[in-house]
């Protein structure tokens, strides 16, 4: 039996460990650095590094690494051992303050979107002291940011940290206006729910598409899918249960607050949700969670698929990003208050989110856009590609009453007046929670549901933090310059509701009528990644990020390029994999199978028996083989033609239309053959085997 309280955080150089192992002065100095976000003094770092090294060695570590998040979306590490040679052929174990504070990985092979000139291949990594160091596989990992020598961010984390500073600055201004002087800092918090699939490793190893792309590119539907709803929250099978147990242990050791686990809607699909924490730490933890999910699965003879759409016909996987804003004094600013005054403050923060989501719909959509997630969004299983907000009827009615200067309900004697009236209580856990909304208020936080399962949560939260910071900035500007705080506040809230209520939609987001309605309201419907990315460098978006010093223009342009390039590369790999599978496995297998059928046909004909099965099957398969062969040629030609296109935007459009169409076409004939061919000759494990194989 695991003693959870004992193992929790045992592999983390956390506050408890720091306090126990650092001299008092050093501990204090480090604490103040962590709180202020300032640079760490080298003399302090030297002492911290030494204590960290001793602790790590006791835990069996031999190496250290700066652990960072380049624009690939996954984490990077380069291990260095602690050894340092000494006279007489001996070594001692060393880790200097300098090595703790800063590393210098060669940046040339990470995507930079043109930020890094080749003559300046080096980048540097710097410790994000607000995120604890930890030990993973015998390596002491130092969470760091990753920048070029010119100071441009080459990673996901720098911008996230900058966005947290931005919202901190602006939220503090607003809180001061409400007379709140004891709050020293405001941070956003996130609890990301992570969905994933588990399949048997032996089956995985037989599928080139899973190996190369993480998702199946072919596969006829199994006779059963998710239609009986018998998997969601169902009893967890022993093999999966053993996996979840070990996963929890590993996450707990790293101080990750793994809390909830259950089966998801699709067969073989599961979810893990942690308890929320500060956003940058939640981002680090989510990266670690994804890595450990995959590692632990291997130990159990399984593979954890994090791709957004591993299987056609059943639900894909997402990541619900539960987001809120709270103060260092422990107040959740998105929690409706008890007093009229607290309510006014809550309403103002709520309005900032409403305005942000409306004005930066495109950026929110962009923040979750990827080739993989395009298979989910808008496909009637995940939230639609249209960004809208669910507030629930209770809260929506209150907003309407405020906007229209009406009474909230018949029992209420007076008009809703902000700062004067207490909001009626609304139940926090409304059971009819709208699951179809991409951005839902769930009582004291927002749940942004468009994120893909494999993505880093950094990008989405950078956009959320920055856009809300911008609205708070505007609010603070207006309120600070007014002599009538309550009157201005009331008008500000009314105006915001009236100008941005189009983003609020409490109905069924999966219904086709919503698409029309959203168009009438003037909301974006950015269906694909290239459609979304086309707005990334819109003037208002550049202005947002540069005003709040989250991205410089070159940094933003670089990200735009990296995203487009990634989209094209992912689809290109998928297309190449399809060609390989069809030409080298599927068509040869079907050719042999056709020969078998013909032989049988000849034999049967001589016996004058009914040979309609062999004849019909051979004929249909032969036609499908011809179609597949033709589709392969077209796909190959189109890929070849695309090679001469150098404009990334044009190229992405070709992938979005021509190449994806070719791939769909090819898949139709291949899946058709799979449904007809003998299961003995089909070269790959089937959907049925993969989805129902874990018992
Ligand atoms: P569900 O949405 O599945 O019903 P919960 O509402 O209990 O589940 O919580 C979902 C996630 O939201 C959890 O990860 C939880 O820690 C997180 N969460 C709860 N409160 C906050 C908050 N203030 N900020 C960010 N995340 C939160
Ligand atoms: Mg949820």
């Amino acid at each position: 039996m695991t003693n959870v309280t004992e193992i929790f955080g045992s592999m983390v150089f956390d506050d408890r460990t720091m306090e126990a192992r650092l001299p008092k002065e050093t501990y204090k100095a480090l604490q103040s650095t962590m709180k202020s976000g300032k640079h760490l003094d080298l003399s302090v770092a030297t002492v911290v590094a030494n204590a960290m090294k001793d602790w790590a060695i006791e835990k069996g570590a031999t190496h250290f690494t700066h652990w960072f998040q380049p624009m690939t979306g996954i984490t990077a590490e380069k291990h260095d051992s602690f050894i340092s040679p000494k006279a007489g052929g001996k070594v001692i174990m060393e880790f200097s303050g300098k090595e703790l504070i800063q590393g210098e990985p060669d940046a040339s092979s990470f995507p930079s979107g043109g930020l890094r000139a080749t003559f300046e291949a080096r980048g540097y990594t710097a410790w994000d002291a607000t995120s604890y160091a930890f030990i993973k596989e015998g390596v002491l990992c130092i969470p760091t940011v990753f920048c070029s020598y010119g100071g441009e961010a080459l990673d996901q984390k720098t911008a996230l940290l900058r966005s947290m500073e931005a919202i901190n600055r602006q939220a503090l201004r607003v809180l001061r206006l409400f007379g709140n002087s004891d709050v020293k800092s405001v941070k956003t918090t996130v609890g990301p729910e992570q969905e994933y699939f588990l399949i048997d490793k032996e089956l995985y190893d037989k599928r080139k598409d899973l190996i190369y792309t993480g998702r199946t590119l072919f596969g006829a539907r199994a006779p059963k899918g998710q239609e009986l709803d018998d998997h969601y929250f169902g009893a967890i099978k022993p093999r999966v249960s053993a996996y979840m147990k070990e996963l929890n242990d590993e996450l707990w050791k790293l101080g990750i607050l793994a809390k909830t686990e259950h089966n998801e809607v699709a067969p073989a699909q599961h979810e893990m949700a942690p308890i929320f924490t500060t956003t940058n730490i939640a981002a680090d933890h989510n990266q670690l969670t994804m890595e450990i999910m995959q590692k632990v699965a291997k130990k159990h003879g399984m593979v954890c698929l994090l791709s957004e759409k591993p299987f056609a016909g059943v639900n894909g996987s997402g990541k619900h990003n539960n987001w809120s804003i709270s103060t260092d004094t422990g107040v959740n600013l998105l929690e409706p208050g008890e007093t009229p005054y607290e309510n006014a403050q809550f309403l103002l923060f709520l309005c900032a989110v409403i305005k942000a989501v409306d004005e930066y719909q495109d950026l929110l959509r962009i923040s979750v856009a990827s080739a993989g997630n395009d298979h989910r969004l808008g496909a009637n299983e995940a939230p639609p590609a249209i960004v809208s907000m669910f507030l629930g009827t209770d809260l929506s009615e209150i907003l309407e009453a405020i906007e229209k200067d009406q009474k909230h309900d018949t029992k209420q004697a007076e008009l809703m007046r902000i700062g004067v009236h207490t909001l009626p209580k609304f139940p926090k856990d409304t059971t009819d929670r709208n699951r179809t909304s991409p951005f839902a208020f769930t009582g004291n936080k927002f749940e942004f549901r468009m994120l893909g399962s494999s993505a880093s949560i950094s990008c989405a939260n950078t956009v959320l933090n920055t856009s809300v910071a911008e609205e708070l900035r505007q609010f603070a500007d207006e309120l600070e310059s007014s002599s009538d705080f309550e009157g201005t506040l009331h008008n500000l809230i009314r105006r915001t509701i009236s100008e941005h209520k189009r983003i609020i939609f409490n109905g069924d987001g999966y219904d086709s009528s919503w698409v029309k309605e959203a168009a009438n309201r003037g909301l974006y419907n950015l269906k694909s990644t290239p459609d979304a990315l086309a707005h990334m460098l819109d003037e208002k978006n550049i202005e947002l990020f540069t005003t709040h010093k989250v991205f410089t223009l070159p940094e933003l342009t670089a990200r735009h390029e990296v995203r487009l390039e990634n989209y094209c590369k992912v689809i290109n790999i998928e297309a190449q994999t399809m060609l390989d599978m069809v030409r080298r496995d599927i068509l040869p297998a079907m050719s042999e199978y056709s020969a078998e059928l013909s032989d049988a046909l000849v034999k049967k004909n001589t016996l004058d028996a009914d040979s309609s099965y062999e004849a019909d099957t051979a004929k249909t398969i032969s036609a499908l083989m011809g179609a597949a062969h033709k589709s392969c040629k077209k796909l190959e030609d189109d890929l070849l033609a695309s090679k001469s296109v150098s404009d990334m935007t044009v190229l992405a459009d070709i992938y979005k239309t021509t190449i994806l169409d070719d791939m769909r076409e090819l898949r139709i004939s291949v899946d058709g053959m799979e449904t007809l061919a003998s299961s003995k000759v089909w070269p790959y494990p089937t959907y049925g085997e993969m989805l129902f194989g874990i018992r």
Side-chain angles (χ1 to χ4, degrees):
M1 269 300 279
T2 317
N3 183 337
V4 181
T5 51
E6 209 160 275
I7 66 161
F8 190 83
S10 60
M11 289 304 194
V12 185
F13 197 71
D14 57 13
D15 197 58
R16 196 180 40 162
T17 316
M18 287 183 203
E19 194 169 12
R21 290 185 170 250
L22 294 173
K24 238 199 187 85
E25 286 312 301
T26 314
Y27 173 70
K28 270 200 204 134
L30 184 59
Q31 283 290 313
S32 83
T33 306
M34 285 165 69
K35 283 212 182 85
S36 66
K38 299 251 160 55
H39 270 297
L40 193 64
D41 213 58
L42 186 59
S43 60
V44 177
T46 305
V47 182
V48 177
N50 205 47
M52 244 185 211
K53 177 206 68 187
D54 289 344
W55 168 81
I57 290 172
E58 278 168 37
K59 300 266 179 195
T62 52
H63 290 67
F64 70 93
T65 182
H66 278 205
W67 182 78
F68 56 101
Q69 298 163 25
M71 290 188 254
T72 51
I74 54 170
T75 55
E77 47 194 81
K78 173 182 141 234
H79 305 170
D80 275 304
S81 69
F82 291 122
I83 62 164
S84 170
K86 275 280 134 42
K90 291 265 182 221
V91 294
I92 56 162
M93 301 297 256
E94 272 182 357
F95 182 44
S96 70
K98 223 176 128 230
E99 286 171 314
L100 168 62
I101 299 180
Q102 192 161 322
E104 295 188 3
D106 182 349
S108 59
S109 293
F110 292 109
S112 83
L115 271 184
R116 188 208 46 240
T118 35
F119 61 85
E120 211 190 30
R122 283 186 319 165
Y124 72 89
T125 50
W127 184 25
D128 163 19
T130 59
S131 185
Y132 300 130
F134 57 89
I135 298 170
K136 177 168 72 74
E137 307 271 297
V139 178
L140 171 67
C141 299
I142 319 290
T144 53
V145 296
F146 177 42
C147 294
S148 76
Y149 261 85
E152 291 111 343
L154 292 173
D155 66 348
Q156 314 253 32
K157 191 170 199 182
T158 306
L160 180 63
L161 290 172
R162 290 174 183 162
S163 75
M164 289 175 71
E165 280 167 33
I167 196 165
N168 174 52
R169 261 192 310 270
Q170 305 305 333
L172 281 177
R173 287 177 68 197
V174 169
L175 290 178
R176 298 286 181 261
L177 283 162
F178 279 88
N180 205 324
S181 54
D182 54 338
V183 173
K184 293 204 177 52
S185 73
V186 171
K187 288 190 168 139
T188 56
T189 51
V190 167
E193 303 166 41
Q194 177 73 48
E195 292 180 337
Y196 61 96
F197 279 84
L198 281 179
I199 65 164
D200 198 283
K201 180 153 187 321
E202 263 184 47
L203 302 177
Y204 171 93
D205 286 338
K206 291 183 184 143
R207 298 234 18 160
K208 289 178 185 168
D209 45 6
L210 287 178
I211 293 171
Y212 295 136
T213 75
R215 70 185 195 97
T216 57
L217 300 168
F218 300 111
R221 310 294 149 90
K224 181 182 173 193
Q226 63 189 44
E227 55 278 82
L228 296 180
D229 292 326
D230 53 353
H231 193 253
Y232 191 56
F233 283 19
I236 299 171
K237 297 187 176 114
R239 222 174 134 192
V240 175
S241 179
Y243 164 80
M244 287 178 170
K245 187 184 170 309
E246 188 170 344
L247 174 64
N248 285 334
D249 285 355
E250 291 305 312
L251 295 176
W252 289 334
K253 283 184 202 164
L254 289 171
I256 298 171
L257 295 154
K259 174 80 174 164
T260 314
E261 57 194 26
H262 60 80
N263 286 349
E264 258 301 331
V265 173
Q269 193 185 29
H270 313 279
E271 179 183 294
M272 192 289 288
I275 297 173
F276 69 97
T277 181
T278 310
T279 305
N280 63 316
I281 295 166
D284 283 359
H285 283 179
N286 184 250
Q287 295 291 149
L288 280 172
T289 299
M290 292 194 283
E291 185 181 324
I292 291 166
M293 278 182 161
Q294 288 169 304
K295 205 164 65 194
V296 174
K298 293 236 165 80
K299 282 176 70 179
H300 290 253
M302 298 186 288
V303 174
C304 169
L305 303 176
L306 290 172
S307 155
E308 280 76 17
K309 190 73 184 177
F311 304 99
V314 295
N315 274 11
S317 299
K319 185 137 60 189
H320 290 178
N321 189 83
N322 294 273
W323 178 92
S324 193
I325 322 170
S326 60
T327 67
D328 62 335
T329 52
V331 178
N332 179 352
L333 296 171
L334 293 178
E335 173 110 42
E338 300 287 333
T339 66
Y341 219 60
E342 285 169 358
N343 284 165
Q345 187 181 294
F346 160 73
L347 282 173
L348 190 67
F349 277 95
L350 179 74
C351 280
V353 182
I354 294 173
K355 187 164 185 278
V357 175
D358 186 29
E359 288 180 345
Y360 299 101
Q361 300 160 41
D362 49 348
L363 279 182
L364 284 168
R365 172 67 184 91
I366 289 164
S367 78
V368 299
S370 67
N373 215 14
D374 279 0
H375 299 293
R376 273 177 78 238
L377 297 179
N380 277 358
E381 55 164 84
I386 306 162
V387 176
S388 69
M389 261 173 127
F390 169 83
L391 292 182
T393 36
D394 294 329
L395 190 51
S396 301
E397 277 170 15
I398 291 165
L399 295 188
E400 197 179 323
I402 295 170
E403 185 206 351
K404 305 215 164 106
D405 255 337
Q406 287 167 344
K407 297 174 188 173
H408 170 243
D409 59 34
T410 45
K411 278 169 269 155
Q412 194 180 318
E414 299 161 90
L415 308 178
M416 272 303 287
R417 195 76 202 160
I418 289 150
V420 179
H421 292 116
T422 313
L423 297 181
K425 284 250 171 292
F426 13 86
K428 202 172 287 176
D429 254 340
T430 31
T431 35
D432 62 336
R433 243 188 223 184
N434 189 325
R435 290 276 161 198
T436 65
S437 174
F439 202 96
F441 184 65
T442 50
N444 59 358
K445 62 184 189 291
F446 278 97
E447 188 167 334
F448 184 26
R449 301 195 176 117
M450 292 171 96
L451 285 78
S453 48
S454 71
S456 154
I457 64 167
S458 295
C459 192
N461 287 293
T462 300
V463 170
L464 262 171
N465 293 343
T466 314
S467 57
V468 174
E470 168 57 21
E471 311 307 353
L472 292 172
R473 181 190 71 79
Q474 292 179 20
F475 291 177
D477 280 355
E478 189 170 336
L479 291 166
E480 278 169 5
S481 62
S482 151
S483 52
D484 168 20
F485 178 70
E486 289 208 352
T488 311
L489 178 67
H490 186 81
N491 290 336
L492 179 60
I493 288 178
R494 275 187 64 188
R495 195 179 69 227
T496 308
I497 297 168
S498 136
E499 284 172 5
H500 300 285
K501 64 182 175 196
R502 64 169 187 169
I503 199 73
I504 300 166
F505 175 63
N506 294 324
D508 182 358
Y510 294 179
D511 202 277
S512 57
S513 64
W514 168 231
V515 178
K516 267 203 209 107
E517 159 85 21
N520 287 339
R521 294 188 188 190
L523 300 181
Y524 280 117
N525 184 3
L526 304 169
K527 293 203 184 91
S528 69
T529 298
D531 295 350
L533 290 176
H535 291 278
M536 189 161 168
L537 299 175
D538 284 359
E539 202 50 52
K540 73 171 174 72
N541 296 336
I542 294 175
E543 179 137 352
L544 173 75
F545 287 124
T546 52
T547 305
H548 292 275
K549 303 199 166 17
V550 171
F551 289 120
T552 60
L553 181 56
E555 285 173 340
L556 196 61
T557 315
R559 271 151 189 81
H560 179 248
E561 175 152 340
V562 169
R563 298 283 297 278
L564 272 178
E565 199 175 63
N566 177 270
Y567 176 82
C568 298
K569 282 180 177 167
V570 165
I571 298 177
N572 185 54
I573 293 169
E574 291 181 349
Q576 301 290 353
T577 303
M578 282 183 123
L579 289 175
D580 181 291
M581 290 171 80
V582 176
R583 288 185 166 155
R584 303 187 52 217
D585 298 335
I586 296 169
L587 286 178
M590 288 305 96
S591 178
E592 268 178 49
Y593 185 51
S594 302
E596 244 177 68
L597 287 172
S598 310
D599 284 352
L601 202 57
V602 172
K603 275 189 203 136
K604 269 198 176 172
N605 275 342
T606 52
L607 296 171
D608 209 20
D610 178 10
S611 55
S612 57
Y613 161 67
E614 287 84 355
D616 290 352
T617 311
K619 207 165 137 205
T620 317
I621 286 192
S622 166
L624 289 168
M625 284 171 71
H629 178 60
K630 218 168 112 197
S631 296
C632 279
K633 268 200 75 62
K634 170 143 173 31
L635 177 56
E636 189 174 52
D637 289 347
D638 289 336
L639 284 170
L640 205 62
S642 75
K643 283 219 166 81
S644 59
V645 178
S646 57
D647 183 317
M648 204 48 89
T649 309
V650 179
L651 187 62
D653 264 335
I654 295 175
Y655 274 103
K656 180 187 90 173
T657 48
T658 318
I659 305 293
L660 281 180
D661 278 348
D662 290 350
M663 287 163 64
R664 254 188 297 272
E665 200 62 33
L666 176 56
R667 180 171 183 154
I668 291 171
S669 14
V670 169
D671 289 357
M673 286 188 264
E674 187 185 337
T675 57
L676 290 176
S678 151
S679 56
K680 286 201 194 75
V681 301
W682 194 252
Y684 303 114
T686 64
Y687 265 35
E689 288 165 324
M690 286 185 285
L691 289 169
F692 298 94
I694 307 262
R695 273 180 279 268

